[in-house]
Amino acid sequence: MVAGNAQEAVVRRDSPEPFTLVIFGASGDLAARKLLPAVYRLFRQGLLPEQFAVVGFARTAMTDDAFREEVRQALDRFTPGKAAAADWPQFASRLFYHRGDYSDAAGFAALRARLEALAASRHAPCNTLFYLATPPTVFAPIAEQIRACGLSAPGERCDGWARLVIEKPFGRDLASARALNAHIRNAFAEDRIFRIDHYLGKETVQNILVLRFANALFEPLWNHKYVDHVQITVAETVGVEQRGPYYDQAGALRDMVQNHLMHLLSLVGMEAPNSVDSDTVRSEKVKVLKALRPMPRACVASNLVRAQYGAGEVAGQPVPGYRAEPGVAPDSITETYVAFKTFIENWRWAGVPFYLRTGKRLAARVTEIGIHFKPVPQVLFNAAPFGPMAPNVLALRIQPNEGISLQFQVKRPGAGVRIEPFRMDFGYAAAFGGEPPEAYERLLLDAALGDSTLFTRSDEVEAAWAFLTPILYTCAEDQFAALPTYRAGSWGPKEADAMIEADGRQWTVFKRPAARKGREG
Ligand code: BG6
């Protein structure tokens, strides 16, 4: 398949104004794995302004030079191609470290003096992007310290803006999310708060809206009249790795469904926005979340399956069961898998089931959205006595082997009429070459530009919690009911198959073999 010619609809992007990125939790895993490599790649691509700087803030005592050395080691480990010798000194000269305690006002006053001195030495405004890459327990205290020392309103003392980027998890339920929103909005206005969900930074997730609204082909069919049901699968092969203590308190519903799966669902289900500005797009997404049919206690048992992985094999290697993972309670009843059925109660989707599932230690790593169209009437080619033909399916492969497949029926050449489903396939790597950019690069750049389209707004986060919180309470009350287990390396518990099969449907993924690299001719 050949990528189109130059008739691209280009949305022009300016480069950010000079700014300083302050990373709280700078010595942590997220900073090393994701944030610093993303900043470095943006720098190498010339997408950052000349006068940008990074200030790492954490409790560990460290000099600027020691921090630079830590960053260099992180880049060596987590940046493909490593830190290039040629541009490392320029990058390193923009890295600084500030030791402080998250609840110590004096440390924040010193941070303020340092940021002002840095800005003055670069003849730049005091623009600051504060990034909370810390455990969630300190989100609110840090925001409060930033406010108390005057850093959330730099315009009052020197020209400039201040923005806050917050990692997930954003609360544990509706009440805690509301409380956290109230705390941070005490320090920053809503349009200065960037709640990050790295799924929104993925190219293929952004392409959902382009596919739906930049093509005449799909939108007329995208409704209850033609769509039988929708499946969203987010399957991982990894277990909880080193995050046992966090994960055991969270589980799949909080860790994956409340954020990543809800975003995928709302992008698939939303109405066309009349503009691509951040508030218009996000308002349409919120409407979907608010239209989700509530799942009362009585429905949870038939519409939702939670399960936990037992020991098994992944990629030919034996792996332990969840309860034997480090940091996990040996009698834990936290779910590592969840599958459920929901409905969007509006005119477009009335009666169309949306089946969602996610789990760790499954048979393959695949994130995919399947739009399953209605079967054709049982006449003509579909009148065969040996069963109905496979329906049309549009599969959006979010990762890996990013792309789109469309399944339709064709006549196999030869005498007689033999009809078979065929898949037409579009692959990003084959069409455009290379790997898609890291989600964090796009999101960091957007936050520096002040574009919040790909970040979660407060009402969005609360609408997702409003749907999930009663489910979580029901699950918590049922905690002594047996939690099914599934073998690590399988496709999940048989109860999840039974749930969808009761409706006469099956879980399907259209995962494709790895695509050939490079552009096709
Ligand atoms: C994170 C979850 O938000 O997303 C992890 O906390 C999960 O548990 C990860 O593994 C999945 O992200 P990706 O980009 O690998 O699909």
Side-chain angles (χ1 to χ4, degrees):
M1 205 172 287
V2 183
N5 63 17
Q7 294 178 344
E8 298 153 347
V10 178
V11 179
R12 277 182 61 83
R13 313 220 70 196
D14 301 322
S15 50
E17 296 167 358
F19 71 99
T20 299
L21 171 67
V22 178
I23 303 178
F24 294 97
S27 51
D29 198 51
L30 177 73
R33 273 175 197 275
K34 298 286 183 187
L35 296 183
L36 292 160
V39 177
Y40 178 60
R41 285 194 297 267
L42 288 171
F43 167 74
R44 293 198 72 189
Q45 294 164 64
L47 293 170
L48 295 178
E50 185 61 24
Q51 301 127 302
F52 91 93
V54 175
V55 174
F57 186 111
R59 289 182 272 223
T60 321
M62 216 187 311
T63 62
D64 286 345
D65 280 340
F67 179 58
R68 289 170 184 158
E69 181 50 27
E70 278 213 348
V71 175
R72 201 186 56 75
Q73 285 174 17
L75 296 182
D76 278 351
R77 281 185 67 198
F78 300 114
T79 307
K82 305 191 172 186
D87 53 23
W88 168 249
Q90 289 99 300
F91 185 69
S93 69
R94 292 169 166 88
L95 302 176
F96 305 91
Y97 185 80
H98 191 85
R99 200 207 82 78
D101 199 280
Y102 300 133
S103 54
D104 172 23
F108 278 78
L111 174 67
R112 173 178 158 174
R114 186 125 193 229
L115 291 176
E116 288 175 356
L118 259 176
S121 70
R122 291 175 298 149
H123 307 290
C126 304
N127 298 328
T128 316
L129 191 59
F130 295 101
Y131 199 116
L132 304 189
T134 58
T137 43
V138 288
F139 288 169
I142 294 175
E144 172 49 24
Q145 290 293 351
I146 294 173
R147 188 202 62 76
C149 74
L151 275 170
S152 61
E156 289 168 11
R157 4 172 264 283
C158 59
D159 236 9
W161 45 254
R163 298 181 189 136
L164 186 72
V165 184
I166 305 196
E167 274 291 333
K168 63 177 270 267
F170 198 93
R172 284 188 56 74
D173 56 13
L174 182 57
S176 55
R178 279 190 177 144
L180 183 54
N181 270 331
H183 271 117
I184 59 175
R185 280 206 304 241
N186 200 25
F188 289 84
E190 179 62 31
D191 64 354
R192 303 293 159 107
I193 301 170
F194 293 72
R195 297 173 194 80
I196 211 162
D197 183 309
H198 77 283
Y199 263 59
L200 294 181
K202 294 182 191 272
E203 280 290 333
T204 41
V205 174
Q206 292 161 40
N207 193 45
I208 297 172
L209 292 194
V210 176
L211 178 87
R212 288 191 55 195
F213 303 127
N215 294 294
L217 200 57
F218 304 112
E219 194 50 22
L221 306 179
W222 211 266
N223 56 54
H224 67 99
K225 205 166 161 203
Y226 298 101
V227 175
D228 176 73
H229 73 282
V230 176
Q231 294 189 19
I232 300 179
T233 296
V234 182
E236 299 186 88
T237 50
V238 290
V240 290
E241 301 184 297
Q242 304 315 313
R243 302 161 71 221
Y246 150 75
Y247 193 90
D248 210 30
Q249 297 300 312
L253 278 163
R254 290 189 171 91
D255 184 52
M256 296 294 285
V257 176
Q258 190 276 334
N259 34 75
H260 309 327
L261 275 84
M262 287 292 138
H263 278 300
L264 297 179
L265 176 65
S266 54
L267 288 167
V268 170
M270 69 190 263
E271 298 300 317
N274 61 2
S275 131
V276 287
D277 83 68
S278 63
D279 273 328
T280 312
V281 173
R282 293 187 297 174
S283 296
E284 291 301 340
K285 288 174 68 193
V286 173
K287 285 185 203 161
V288 174
L289 298 176
K290 289 192 169 168
L292 289 178
R293 186 189 290 178
M295 208 186 291
R297 186 181 179 87
C299 293
V300 171
S302 51
N303 288 348
L304 184 132
V305 172
R306 296 157 65 240
Q308 198 181 68
Y309 62 82
E313 239 181 46
V314 170
Q317 297 298 316
V319 293
Y322 175 69
R323 292 179 180 183
E325 297 277 17
V328 170
D331 55 353
S332 169
I333 46 162
T334 300
E335 79 283 353
T336 60
Y337 176 99
V338 63
F340 65 101
K341 174 166 75 166
T342 187
F343 292 87
I344 301 172
E345 294 293 356
N346 62 19
W347 287 91
R348 180 189 285 266
W349 292 116
V352 178
F354 284 71
Y355 299 95
L356 291 87
R357 60 176 172 165
T358 182
K360 293 203 179 286
R361 286 282 190 234
L362 294 178
R365 175 176 181 252
V366 53
T367 297
E368 190 179 285
I369 299 168
I371 314 293
H372 293 246
F373 290 91
K374 291 202 165 159
V376 296
Q378 303 237 345
V379 293
L380 300 181
F381 307 114
N382 204 16
F386 41 81
M389 299 186 309
N392 296 131
V393 181
L394 180 70
L396 315 186
R397 286 196 311 280
I398 304 298
Q399 64 187 19
N401 305 331
E402 291 77 2
I404 298 168
S405 293
L406 180 64
Q407 172 175 281
F408 50 86
Q409 304 296 330
V410 291
K411 175 183 174 300
R412 176 173 273 277
V417 181
R418 194 164 148 206
I419 294 176
E420 286 185 8
F422 178 83
R423 278 192 217 145
M424 196 161 70
D425 197 56
F426 156 75
Y428 274 85
F432 299 108
E435 291 295 315
E438 243 296 315
Y440 276 92
E441 287 174 43
R442 168 70 196 260
L443 294 174
L444 271 171
L445 196 58
D446 278 10
L449 286 163
D451 180 350
S452 49
T453 315
L454 300 179
F455 295 83
T456 316
R457 208 169 56 188
S458 62
D459 53 347
E460 213 175 346
V461 87
E462 289 182 15
W465 278 122
F467 171 69
L468 275 178
T469 300
I471 298 175
L472 287 163
Y473 289 162
T474 303
C475 298
E477 284 163 22
D478 282 354
Q479 59 179 304
F480 299 111
L483 186 66
T485 52
Y486 57 98
R487 199 177 141 71
S490 71
W491 272 110
K494 59 182 184 332
E495 287 80 355
D497 295 341
M499 181 186 78
I500 192 168
E501 282 162 15
D503 295 346
R505 303 182 175 105
Q506 283 191 327
W507 292 112
T508 322
V509 286
F510 288 82
K511 186 172 174 281
R512 307 290 293 175
R516 193 156 55 82
K517 293 280 186 302
R519 192 185 283 261
E520 280 184 0

